[in-house]
Amino acid sequence: PVFSRIFDSNYSVRVDMPVGSVAAFIADSRERLRGATLLTDFACGRVSVGIPRLTGEAWTDFCGHAGKLQGRAVLEKAPVEFKKNYDVFGPVRPEWELMHRLKETLDPHGVFSPGRMPGRK
């Protein structure tokens, strides 16, 4: 039932972080996660979250909070309109430029997984 509640939510977020950060993430996120459904894997450092509503500001805040704990948030499910305005991989990170240059070098015609890289290009 927990899986279905998460994936039936309007927004589904996966947060991966060092295993030692999971408890702090949950404790520090009580207000952010109010009304959310959580599935926590303390052994591998993953928190899956189903959220009924999410604003762009809340998404940016959520990603920033995960980043402070050496974690990364990925928006696995969201309405199309939300994804048009916000990157599912969160705010731009410096390493993305290198990733895009490598992808352009190895796949100059954009054949493999078009549109699936973090960051908008």
Side-chain angles (χ1 to χ4, degrees):
V2 173
F3 283 117
S4 61
R5 285 199 318 260
I6 290 172
F7 294 109
D8 288 344
S9 296
N10 293 327
Y11 298 86
S12 176
V13 178
R14 184 187 79 230
V15 185
D16 293 306
M17 66 196 82
V19 294
S21 298
V22 174
F25 177 81
I26 292 171
D28 295 345
S29 296
R30 284 198 178 121
E31 285 303 311
R32 283 180 193 88
L33 300 174
R34 187 174 303 277
T37 301
L38 294 167
L39 179 63
T40 305
D41 186 338
F42 287 96
C44 75
R46 175 168 288 172
V47 179
S48 296
V49 184
I51 307 171
R53 288 177 299 289
L54 186 67
T55 65
E57 181 180 327
W59 171 235
T60 301
D61 178 60
F62 198 89
C63 292
H65 181 61
K68 287 177 187 172
L69 296 169
Q70 288 78 49
R72 298 286 182 246
V74 175
L75 190 59
E76 293 186 322
K77 178 185 173 193
V80 173
E81 278 305 309
F82 189 89
K83 291 194 285 186
K84 284 181 184 176
N85 296 310
Y86 300 96
D87 197 302
V88 299
F89 295 98
V92 175
R93 297 194 301 260
E95 63 269 20
W96 290 359
E97 180 58 34
L98 174 61
M99 291 170 58
H100 283 278
R101 287 197 326 248
L102 284 169
K103 171 90 163 77
E104 289 167 4
T105 299
L106 299 171
D107 183 20
H109 302 292
V111 175
F112 299 105
S113 300
R116 301 295 293 178
M117 293 287 289
R120 306 208 177 235
K121 269 224 151 209

